Amino acid sequence: MSGRIGRRTVAALDSLSAVLNAHAPLMSGSDDSPGDLPSIPPNDASDEPTRADIRRIVASSSLGRQLRAARAKKLREQAEPVPARPTRRARRAAGALPDVAALQARIDGLYAERGWRVFDFQRTVWAHLQQGRSGLLHAGTGSGKTLAVWLGALLRAAAQPAPGLRVLWITPMRALAADTALTLGESARVFGLDWDVGLRTGDTGSAERARQTKALPQALVTTPESLTLMLSHDAAREQLGGLCAVVVDEWHELIANKRGVQAQLALARLRQWNPALPVWGLSATLGNPDHAMQVLCGPGGARVAGEIVRPVKLDSLIPARTERFPWAGHLGVKLLDAVLTELDASPSTLLFTNTRSQAELWYQALLAARPDWAGLIALHHGSLSRDVREWVEAGLKNGTLRAVVCTSSLDLGVDFLPVERVLQLGSPKGVARLMQRAGRSGHAPGRTPHATCVPGHGLELIDSAAARRAVAAGRIEPRYSPEAPVDVLVQHLVTLALAGGFDADALKSEIRTTHAYRALDDRTWDWAMDFVTRGGASLAAYPDYRKVERDADGRHRVPRADIARRHRMQIGTITADSAVEVRWARGGKSGGKSGGKSRGKSAGQNGGQSVPASGAAALAGGRLGQVEEPFIGRLKPGDCFLFAGRVLELVAVRDMQALVRAGNAARGTVPRWDGGRMPLSNELAHEIRTLIALAARGDYPEPEMQALRPLLDLQRGWSALPDSGDLLIEVMQSREGHHAFFFPFAGRPVHAGLATLLAGRISRNRPITFSLSFNDYGFELMSAAPVDWSQEIADGLLSGDTLDADIEHCLNAAQLARRRFREVARVAGLTFQGYPGQGKSARQLQVSSDLLFDVFSRHDPDNLLLQQARQEAQREELDAERIAGTLASMRAARHCITRPPSMTPFAFPLLVARLRERLSSEQLSDRVARMVALLEKAAGP
Amino acid sequence: MLQIDIAGESLTLLAERALWWPAQSTLLIADAHFGKGLTFRARGVAVPSGTSDDTMDRLAALLERTGAARVVFLGDLLHAREARQPALMATLAGLRAPGVEWVLVRGNHDVHAGVPAELGLTVVDEPWLMAPFALCHHPDARPGHYVLAGHVHPALRVEAGGDRLRLPCFVFGPDVGLLPAFGSFTGHMSLEPAAGVRCFVAAADRVLEVPHASARRRGRA
């Protein structure tokens, strides 16, 4: 390191590294570091931050700040000593609420006294809640949604006094739960209510859970998974039966996924116990708020719109010179200098990326460019450990961090008042997402949210122009609830069988009250019941199967404790990809701290073959975070990768832990997480198509399009710019093979489907293997043999006939369903994540979903879980409806087949970001023989 | 089928994922994991039956075709204790023709599952020496012998000409050789081929040698 770095910087670096290396002792000499860096919880078994930590973290959230000021003022005015808070038990016993009129008076009085305005939508929500009506409140961030619903719930609780748990607050993000609990507790106290607001998430320690089992707080903040877990216990009804209101926060994050379905099912159970239970959803702006309300509240719900419309400024960082082939520039880090200039101009900036790997890259790049910012910039993504994330969030709230590189992990949550600016690195990919992210900035009085898109490559400039136009036109993506997923259903059946058992008919009616399962047919229901009781519909197929059994009293229960235990562990993993913990390697002489200097023997090498690293001598040390198992699976011991803002070398993998030590910076590779592959939304794709059509006619309406003229001119010169009625097809040959690029501009999922479909249709008639690649703008089909595309089109390549069958055929062939089956199998309890210290018996149940997919396809092809995987692939990977639509417009379009002299600007990204799906009609052994022949040839004599 | 010479002996690699040693009329089978689906079902994971039948059918066909006088299972014959279900055990025992010797080299799963006496197996601990080979479950080198082992369930990612596949494989290093897992319901572990190691993939009805410059492009520094 250079000697120019001051002592303060070194101290800050030390503190940062101590945070990242959370379980290492704090370094001495950091006593002159900025005083507001939080100390790190000691290395004890529980990861719980102390109450004081949480308090400090929340202390500077916008609501928290207002409330604190209010309370301080009140105290000053009264000049009375602060009364000691009664003990928890005393408060619970008291459960004291004034009557509803008194509370309403108190609220009105306090609002008047502070000079706060009560918004009409807040009054509306209060009134609805007092009448016991459910509803959805949707508004942008920072508009007072939380307080509206929380005070409404308190008013309702005051109107119906009762002991025990009264208000349940469901939040999608575990990381937000602690903040939310404190904020709710604080704001209740402002109104003179000494409510105990508890926390129940996957992070809640067993001691706290045990305390809650004895006496629940009056309000509980939880996640859908933890709520479902509570429902799996006998005591659930006793604990949750006395609720007077349920709030589902950030409902837009849940509605469209299986966690949302899990929430729907849990709510159905709560309503079963208490039919009048009002449920309120909070949601950001959505394209279809009525559907969102229906799904959550059922018939008779109210939809309330927050009235504050905040202006948002959206623009792009346009490079001084738009290169025509900027593709080789890695992930837009090329614009680093321009980004640094922007960061200099703003005291606090959030830099959003679409993937965690991009976040790691940008963080490294920023730090390399400005070493003096060490300790002032930070990294935040979902794979990092909680300590790190909390430290970053605290730094954002108190304004000590000038920039944070983050992923969707910071899309949600309490507002960071000091953040003035948002930079979106790479395409925003969606209208709602860009609005949400922009909304994270400009919360200070007199400020406006301001988001700037930083294109990762030239074409992404079109994306940001298109996003701005869509926002202006109010075209925001809708989100729909999944329809009757069988995997969630069977999981729920086992969950309720654990909770004292269930009566099949009663449960069927209960489940049909949810939106997702409103049309659940008897066949599916019977199948699901068969699945959990007998393994499947066919008695012969599943001999000796045991999971749920029908008791003599007719109730369905889980007879075995090990099955119960595994199921409860499973509930929390509904969405998580199997994750591997990243930990420092300890033991031997190669400790984490001294890593890089003393290298232990490379583990697990035997005769040139890597065999399971059973002999690895390293012990697990401090935790750094989590990465998906497939990523670690691609690494060998000794490989280096970027994670948590540093270069790490893999030492060994075992028991779902990746042991690492400090690596050599020169050898770092960037992790490629699959999770971050966001598709372009339809709304945005539509705008992009429009902008390109305008360019084809010589109209460049936005500054981004102006800047892109050189690129667009080159595209026009070598090939063409498609007008709205055109389908552009580029055909060319390279050393790799024969390429055909199609550009329907319909978004990635549709292109994936179309590519698969067209490849399937051609390969049905003759043996040919295609490599497919697709992105948001188009797709590529590459083959070893040439294809006469005009002839194929004339012969019906784009035909709408037999489309359904073809899609089905191609699905099987391309194995998209196999990929969906991973999640389906996990949710349905067929595969489960290993966990450290698992016993032998659990290890004997480890199986890959791939293998299960083969076994089911062969031995139980009618299994509904397989069907569900196929349907999900159709709907979510392929989007069959939109494929049909796009295919029809491709058919009707003027076919513009060009033979460019070289890769065009449109084609190049497809080449660079190739993701291959193989579709082949050749015999497996022929394929292998051909590959072997090629390899022999390449290897030479 | 493919003939290769290992340690001076001619061995036949079978596409059914087994190894045939004609000179000794011996069939080598690793990691059959009989009763794995059954174990899953018994512990509440609904895996359909049929996988063991599948494995059983292939074993029967191989015994018939080779007319082997001796079968050596290189460990993990049964998946777990639950696999010792009478019907399954009877079918397996029924495959053994009179006069044919069946040997099980005990693997990690066999230790937990136990081996029922009615199978009439000679159960031994590794290494089971049949010069020049040491027949083992775990692939640890045994000086003085060439080790043939299982346990790893090796697979190879083959990539060429824009095509890519992952296939179970045989692997022969300087002093240790690995057999693919025989069972139909078994996972695989992808290996990185290294210099001095020959890899043979089992692809449907053929066995093919894959040159080691093959597979994955990464790894080339």
Side-chain angles (χ1 to χ4, degrees), chain A residues 136-137 141 145-146 169-173 176 180 247-255 280-284 411-414 436 440 479:
Chain A
L136 178 79
L137 173 58
T141 53
K145 281 183 296 192
T146 305
W169 192 282
I170 303 169
T171 173
M173 286 178 80
L176 295 182
T180 308
V247 178
V248 185
D249 209 348
E250 315 270 11
W251 175 234
H252 58 277
E253 280 296 318
L254 289 172
I255 179 171
W280 273 83
L282 300 178
S283 148
D411 276 1
L412 306 177
V414 292
Q436 175 87 18
R440 303 316 313 264
R479 295 191 185 182

Side-chain angles (χ1 to χ4, degrees), chain A residues 541 639 841 858 918 927, chain B residues 41 43-44 49 54 163 218:
Chain A
D639 282 356
S841 71
R858 179 141 186 220
R918 249 144 227 95
R927 270 170 82 191
Chain B
R41 288 193 293 280
R43 296 191 198 168
S49 66
D54 212 80
D163 206 351
R218 63 172 294 275

Side-chain angles (χ1 to χ4, degrees), chain A residues 531 535-536 540-547 560 562-563 566 606-612 633-636 639 736 769-771 782 784 829-832 840-848 850-852 855-856 858-860 863 916 918 920 922 924-932 934-936 939, chain B residues 36 38-51 54 79-82 85 109 112 139-141 151-152 158-167 171 173-176 178 184-187 189-194 197 199 201 203-206 208-211 213-219:
Chain A
F531 180 79
Y542 297 86
D544 313 297
Y545 176 75
R546 303 183 71 181
K547 190 155 198 167
R560 279 175 58 155
D562 60 333
I563 294 175
R566 273 201 297 277
N606 186 350
Q609 292 298 327
S610 20
V611 292
R634 283 195 294 266
L635 298 178
K636 286 181 300 190
D639 282 356
E736 254 192 308
T769 300
F770 285 104
S771 285
M782 191 193 77
L830 291 171
T831 57
F832 61 98
K840 281 270 185 294
S841 71
R843 226 172 281 158
Q844 285 166 357
L845 289 181
Q846 270 188 0
V847 62
S848 76
D850 242 22
L851 181 55
L852 277 178
V855 169
F856 277 112
R858 179 141 186 220
H859 298 286
D860 187 10
N863 192 299
R916 290 199 175 105
R918 249 144 227 95
S920 174
E922 289 174 87
L924 180 72
S925 48
D926 292 342
R927 270 170 82 191
V928 178
R930 190 172 58 79
M931 286 160 75
V932 168
L934 276 168
L935 289 167
E936 291 288 8
Chain B
K36 183 172 172 186
L38 213 145
T39 306
F40 275 58
R41 288 193 293 280
R43 296 191 198 168
V45 183
V47 173
S49 66
T51 56
D54 212 80
H79 184 69
R81 186 157 281 275
E82 286 90 335
Q85 186 231 33
H109 279 263
H112 296 284
D140 301 320
H151 187 62
V152 177
V158 189
E159 187 169 351
D163 206 351
R164 191 170 57 188
L165 279 169
R166 187 164 172 260
L167 297 161
V171 179
D175 40 32
V176 177
L178 296 175
S184 296
F185 185 34
T186 51
M189 178 175 154
S190 289
L191 294 184
E192 291 288 337
V197 173
C199 294
V201 295
D205 54 349
R206 292 163 79 176
L208 292 154
E209 176 157 19
V210 179
S214 80
R216 301 202 273 168
R217 284 170 200 168
R218 63 172 294 275

Side-chain angles (χ1 to χ4, degrees), chain A residues 434-669:
Chain A
L434 184 60
M435 283 175 73
Q436 175 87 18
R437 289 181 168 181
R440 303 316 313 264
S441 67
H443 281 285
R447 298 264 175 201
T448 310
H450 180 186
T452 303
C453 295
V454 181
H457 57 69
L459 277 186
E460 287 187 346
L461 274 174
I462 308 182
D463 295 17
S464 34
R468 187 169 57 246
R469 288 162 69 92
V471 169
R475 277 195 288 275
I476 298 158
E477 294 84 5
R479 295 191 185 182
Y480 298 100
S481 164
E483 288 289 334
V486 182
D487 52 352
V488 183
L489 177 62
V490 298
Q491 189 194 68
H492 192 63
L493 291 182
V494 180
T495 300
L496 295 191
L498 287 172
F502 63 81
D503 174 82
D505 287 334
L507 184 57
K508 181 164 69 174
S509 318
E510 176 184 317
I511 286 173
R512 279 182 177 156
T513 63
T514 63
H515 183 92
Y517 298 98
R518 68 198 180 287
L520 178 69
D521 55 42
D522 281 343
R523 185 182 146 264
T524 308
W525 169 262
D526 292 342
W527 186 89
M529 283 298 293
D530 279 341
F531 180 79
V532 299
T533 54
R534 302 190 279 153
S538 135
L539 261 183
Y542 297 86
D544 313 297
Y545 176 75
R546 303 183 71 181
K547 190 155 198 167
V548 173
E549 284 177 5
R550 195 161 179 265
D551 276 0
D553 61 359
R555 292 181 77 78
H556 289 84
R557 289 193 172 89
V558 174
R560 279 175 58 155
D562 60 333
I563 294 175
R565 202 168 49 241
R566 273 201 297 277
H567 182 77
R568 289 205 170 97
M569 231 129 48
Q570 183 85 355
I571 290 174
T573 63
I574 187 161
T575 50
D577 211 341
S578 67
V580 173
E581 288 220 327
V582 182
R583 284 178 177 274
W584 288 115
R586 253 191 332 217
K589 280 173 184 160
S590 56
K593 276 287 157 194
S594 60
K597 286 174 201 157
S598 60
R599 286 171 189 275
K601 276 180 207 152
S602 182
Q605 295 295 318
N606 186 350
Q609 292 298 327
S610 20
V611 292
S614 50
L619 296 168
R623 186 172 181 279
L624 281 155
Q626 291 194 326
V627 291
E628 280 85 357
E629 191 272 332
F631 166 67
I632 285 291
R634 283 195 294 266
L635 298 178
K636 286 181 300 190
D639 282 356
C640 291
F641 60 105
L642 274 178
F643 182 75
R646 47 171 75 200
V647 181
L648 302 172
E649 179 190 329
L650 185 66
V651 175
V653 181
R654 52 149 205 241
D655 286 350
M656 300 306 279
Q657 292 181 339
L659 304 183
V660 298
R661 62 179 156 222
N664 180 346
R667 294 169 52 212
T669 61

Side-chain angles (χ1 to χ4, degrees), chain B residues 1-4 10-14 18-22 65 170:
Chain B
M1 273 198 352
L2 193 138
Q3 303 277 346
I4 61 162
S10 173
L11 301 177
T12 306
L13 312 185
L14 303 170
L19 197 150
W20 169 237
W21 184 7
R65 212 174 85 208
F170 296 87

Side-chain angles (χ1 to χ4, degrees), chain A residues 228-393:
Chain A
T228 303
L229 198 55
M230 286 176 82
L231 291 180
S232 79
H233 290 278
D234 277 337
R237 180 164 196 168
E238 195 188 313
Q239 292 176 332
L240 299 166
L243 289 172
C244 75
V246 177
V247 178
V248 185
D249 209 348
E250 315 270 11
W251 175 234
H252 58 277
E253 280 296 318
L254 289 172
I255 179 171
N257 58 42
K258 290 180 184 173
R259 298 177 75 206
V261 175
Q262 201 178 30
Q264 290 183 44
L265 287 167
L267 289 172
R269 173 114 296 211
L270 297 179
R271 288 188 180 111
Q272 196 65 28
W273 294 329
N274 179 2
L277 181 67
V279 175
W280 273 83
L282 300 178
S283 148
T285 315
L286 274 175
N288 56 342
D290 282 316
H291 173 78
M293 189 276 287
Q294 284 280 336
V295 172
L296 187 66
C297 312
R303 180 159 81 73
V304 180
E307 59 197 41
I308 307 167
V309 178
R310 294 167 65 207
V312 176
K313 187 176 171 197
L314 299 173
D315 54 15
S316 301
L317 203 60
I318 298 177
R321 197 171 62 88
T322 315
E323 292 167 63
R324 291 182 304 180
F325 285 99
W327 318 106
H330 205 32
L331 295 160
V333 178
K334 275 207 145 185
L335 287 177
L336 182 64
D337 287 343
V339 167
L340 287 169
T341 311
E342 298 295 319
L343 294 184
D344 267 327
S346 152
S348 183
T349 306
L350 287 179
L351 298 100
F352 281 100
T353 65
N354 291 334
T355 64
R356 280 171 271 174
S357 42
Q358 277 176 312
E360 295 273 1
L361 262 181
W362 271 94
Y363 177 71
Q364 289 290 327
L366 292 175
L367 211 54
R370 295 292 296 267
D372 56 315
W373 280 358
L376 297 177
I377 64 174
L379 181 64
H380 190 288
H381 61 66
S383 289
L384 297 176
S385 75
R386 207 151 51 90
D387 294 339
V388 179
R389 280 181 278 145
E390 283 176 0
W391 175 79
V392 173
E393 286 159 28

